[in-house]
Amino acid sequence: MTSQSLYFRQELQKSSMGYIKTENIKVLIGSWNVNAKFPSHTDILNWVLNRSERPEIIVVGIQEMISLSPTNVIGSTVVKSLSSDNATKWSDIILSTLNSQNQTSRYELIALEHMVGLCIMVLADASILEYLSDISIGNLATGSHGYLGNKGAVAVHMKVCDSAVVFVNCHFAAHQKDVEKRNEDYRNIISKLTFVDNTVSDAILGASQAGSPVVAEDITKCREDITSIQQRIAALRATMADPNADPPTPTPASAVTSGSSTVLNELKTYTIHDHDVIFWMGDLNYRLTDDIDIHQALDAISAGQAYDLLYHDQLTIEKDTDEIFHDFHEGMVAFNPTYKFIPGTSEYDARPEKKMRVPAWCDRILWRIGRGRDLALKEKQEENKQLLLRWVEAQEKMSNSGDREAAGLVGNDNSAYIYNLPVEPVVEAVELMRYEAVEPPNMSDHKPIRGFFNMRVRRLDHAQKHVTMMKLHLEWEISKENEELKQKLTNSIVNSTITS
């Protein structure tokens, strides 16, 4: 790191709060394994309606939206259509139910993603739509070594004011003994699920506007449009270089598909790690350890001592040993296990003719404040890398020659790299207000859960930031000139002393 960039980092740490403001956003997160059933309006009201305080963002994560039969899991055009249709039905019933309760303010669907039985939707109160931007979606299959979508994750990325926020809905591997498979699902999702930089996507789709939710079909069309634009740019460049040259061969349409590496390799992508706030929900499928049988679990629950079972909760054990969810937080689990019930009832399924699953807290919500802005330059990593290399090279040239113009430092925006340094303090915060299971509804063998949060995000005064950067840049230049004058004066005195 050059002395100038270090100077900017240090000074910005002192002055950045002059242009960083904060906003508090109320967020409701809901997760439910619905066992391939549809809810009633009453079910939705019981689950996601907060009667005491209206959340500004509602995120709903659904698992087993369609039956996870072998035919559906392997996938086909019919299954994709069924998944899409069910996702639309779920979003329609949730949106219509919520908006029927309040005529003065409405929720808008701003993002929807689905994959086989998984679905995530984000709804926002119309009053905060101006705070939301750069909305994009992603998914990752983890079933059968990543080939099947019966397990995996769907996610939504967005900017809330100037904070990058991600919501992840997942369904991990089942069965009591498969703890390591669940751990591996987590590792794959947090490291491999990617989002495309949506700066261009927003311009093409207008997707961040009210009433225009981002959905999977939009992203596919956007990628096709981006590829077409890139081909036209390449053709123009080739023509400018050699007017007589043949234009480049267009990429065949078959290569431009959702998830196509041809497209993704040309677009900036980022992972779940690259966010200021992470919310993670879903049927994580962690069970109780095998030293607890169904009768011991049911006795503890009926005696009002379900909290004793948490000592045997696989998720708690794995998290405490730093195997998974490092730096994630979860509220106090003060509700009974959410699995496994007799569908249509509030009774745990202990029928001898059934599989006698031990009750467990399969369904969970966790969150993490991102790794902060003092890590590597992630959001514009390649651009910053090249800019830094040019900057360092120019600084070295100027140090050797003393000629700023010859070094390429005149007429360039030399503060561009400094602008991208992640030096601002972390101001994001999440406060959990409530974390609970909901009963009823009773239609599934899982009970739905929800968490109500206050989320603090950053809002930058970009004009003030620009003024601050220019002021620091000017102060640096003055200090450099003073240092040069001081050095010349010192040299002159030394030379005079030696001569005399």
Side-chain angles (χ1 to χ4, degrees):
M1 180 177 294
T2 66
S3 58
Q4 182 176 13
S5 60
L6 181 60
Y7 167 80
F8 270 82
R9 288 175 66 87
Q10 293 171 339
E11 292 303 311
L12 272 178
Q13 286 282 7
K14 301 174 187 176
S15 58
S16 59
M17 294 311 293
Y19 59 81
I20 296 178
K21 311 299 180 184
T22 61
E23 295 284 348
N24 290 313
I25 307 293
K26 295 182 287 291
V27 181
L28 187 144
I29 307 286
S31 176
W32 193 5
N33 183 319
V34 298
N35 197 24
K37 295 181 174 64
F38 278 104
S40 66
H41 287 281
T42 302
D43 291 336
I44 299 301
L45 291 175
N46 287 336
W47 178 27
V48 297
L49 181 66
N50 188 321
R51 299 183 186 279
S52 60
E53 193 169 11
R54 182 179 174 87
E56 289 148 314
I57 296 176
I58 295 177
V59 184
V60 174
I62 300 168
Q63 308 87 42
E64 295 195 31
M65 181 178 60
I66 66 174
S67 173
L68 299 184
S69 64
T71 302
N72 287 352
V73 167
I74 293 172
S76 66
T77 302
V78 174
V79 172
K80 291 178 181 177
S81 176
L82 177 61
S83 178
S84 178
D85 290 346
N86 282 13
T88 300
K89 290 177 183 177
W90 269 95
S91 63
D92 286 348
I93 190 172
I94 289 174
L95 199 59
S96 62
T97 300
L98 292 176
N99 284 336
S100 69
Q101 302 299 304
N102 191 325
Q103 301 303 317
T104 60
S105 182
R106 295 181 59 80
Y107 286 106
E108 299 284 353
L109 177 66
I110 62 169
L112 177 66
E113 172 68 314
H114 58 86
M115 179 183 69
V116 189
L118 279 165
C119 176
I120 187 170
M121 64 191 77
V122 179
L123 298 84
D125 189 278
S127 63
I128 68 158
L129 291 179
E130 62 183 296
Y131 290 172
L132 310 180
S133 62
D134 295 350
I135 303 167
S136 58
I137 56 179
N139 65 64
L140 184 77
T142 60
S144 187
H145 305 288
Y147 289 102
L148 303 181
N150 60 320
K151 298 294 189 288
V154 289
V156 175
H157 153 87
M158 66 177 64
K159 284 287 188 71
V160 182
C161 294
D162 291 287
S163 294
V165 181
V166 65
F167 304 100
V168 183
N169 173 37
C170 67
H171 196 181
F172 287 175
H175 306 305
Q176 191 276 339
K177 67 180 184 303
D178 288 330
V179 178
E180 186 50 40
K181 285 185 179 179
R182 288 188 275 280
N183 292 353
E184 192 62 25
D185 285 346
Y186 163 78
R187 296 185 194 107
N188 282 328
I189 291 166
I190 199 165
S191 62
K192 296 179 181 178
L193 194 156
T194 59
F195 303 89
V196 174
D197 186 329
N198 217 40
T199 305
V200 179
S201 305
D202 279 349
I204 294 174
L205 296 174
S208 62
Q209 300 301 312
S212 300
V214 175
V215 297
E217 290 79 7
D218 291 333
I219 295 298
T220 300
K221 177 63 168 60
C222 176
R223 287 169 174 154
E224 293 172 355
D225 290 342
I226 291 171
T227 299
S228 175
I229 292 169
Q230 290 168 337
Q231 289 169 357
R232 287 159 59 191
I233 291 172
L236 286 171
R237 285 176 176 166
T239 302
M240 291 170 64
D242 183 359
N244 298 318
D246 294 328
T249 304
T251 303
S254 60
V256 184
T257 59
S258 179
S260 165
S261 60
T262 303
V263 177
L264 289 179
N265 287 339
E266 297 176 358
L267 298 176
K268 296 174 185 175
T269 61
Y270 40 94
T271 70
I272 294 170
H273 282 302
D274 303 325
H275 290 83
D276 299 306
V277 183
I278 304 168
F279 286 102
W280 196 298
M281 72 206 79
D283 180 358
L284 277 58
N285 248 327
Y286 287 96
R287 312 300 175 89
L288 300 184
T289 52
D290 58 11
D291 54 340
I292 298 293
D293 63 30
I294 187 171
H295 302 294
Q296 292 172 301
L298 292 174
D299 287 346
I301 293 168
S302 61
Q305 297 176 343
Y307 55 84
D308 285 340
L309 299 175
L310 285 168
Y311 292 106
H312 306 271
D313 173 57
Q314 291 175 342
L315 175 59
T316 302
I317 294 169
E318 296 301 300
K319 187 176 180 301
D320 286 348
T321 57
D322 275 345
E323 288 294 322
I324 51 169
F325 289 106
H326 184 63
D327 288 338
F328 276 82
H329 305 279
E330 183 182 19
M332 180 182 295
V333 181
F335 47 87
N336 285 338
T338 55
Y339 173 83
K340 180 181 197 279
F341 291 87
I342 300 173
T345 76
S346 291
E347 297 179 22
Y348 289 100
D349 196 343
R351 293 173 292 180
E353 69 274 17
K354 298 295 182 178
K355 294 180 180 180
M356 301 278 285
R357 303 291 192 200
V358 178
W361 288 277
C362 293
D363 310 281
R364 313 290 272 267
I365 301 170
L366 301 96
W367 74 93
R368 189 183 86 187
I369 301 302
R371 296 189 172 187
R373 296 170 177 265
D374 284 323
L375 287 182
L377 306 174
K378 296 291 287 183
E379 216 171 88
K380 297 184 177 180
Q381 187 175 21
E382 190 57 35
E383 176 185 342
N384 283 348
K385 180 181 176 182
Q386 297 303 321
L387 199 55
L388 175 59
L389 290 175
R390 293 198 300 272
W391 175 256
V392 171
E393 182 181 357
Q395 288 282 354
E396 290 175 350
K397 286 181 179 178
M398 191 187 74
S399 297
N400 294 331
S401 66
D403 188 338
R404 289 177 56 83
E405 186 169 1
L409 292 174
V410 175
N412 293 331
D413 182 9
N414 301 308
S415 63
Y417 168 68
I418 307 302
Y419 258 105
N420 289 326
L421 284 172
V423 299
E424 296 160 355
V426 175
V427 299
E428 289 79 12
V430 170
E431 178 187 11
L432 175 65
M433 308 304 293
R434 284 197 306 281
Y435 184 35
E436 56 198 3
V438 184
E439 190 177 336
N442 299 321
M443 69 181 194
S444 173
D445 55 353
H446 290 249
K447 296 302 180 189
I449 61 171
R450 65 187 175 197
F452 191 80
F453 302 87
N454 277 333
M455 177 176 65
R456 187 175 70 204
V457 296
R458 72 179 57 224
R459 180 168 56 82
L460 301 182
D461 184 333
H462 293 280
Q464 184 60 43
K465 180 176 181 178
H466 180 76
V467 170
T468 301
M469 293 299 302
M470 292 300 99
K471 178 175 177 289
L472 291 178
H473 195 79
L474 180 60
E475 289 174 352
W476 168 261
E477 293 297 328
I478 292 173
S479 68
K480 284 293 290 181
E481 289 179 7
N482 289 341
E483 283 295 321
E484 290 172 4
L485 288 173
K486 181 179 178 181
Q487 187 61 48
K488 288 179 180 178
L489 180 60
T490 301
N491 292 341
S492 176
I493 293 173
V494 170
N495 292 335
S496 298
T497 303
I498 293 173
T499 303
S500 63

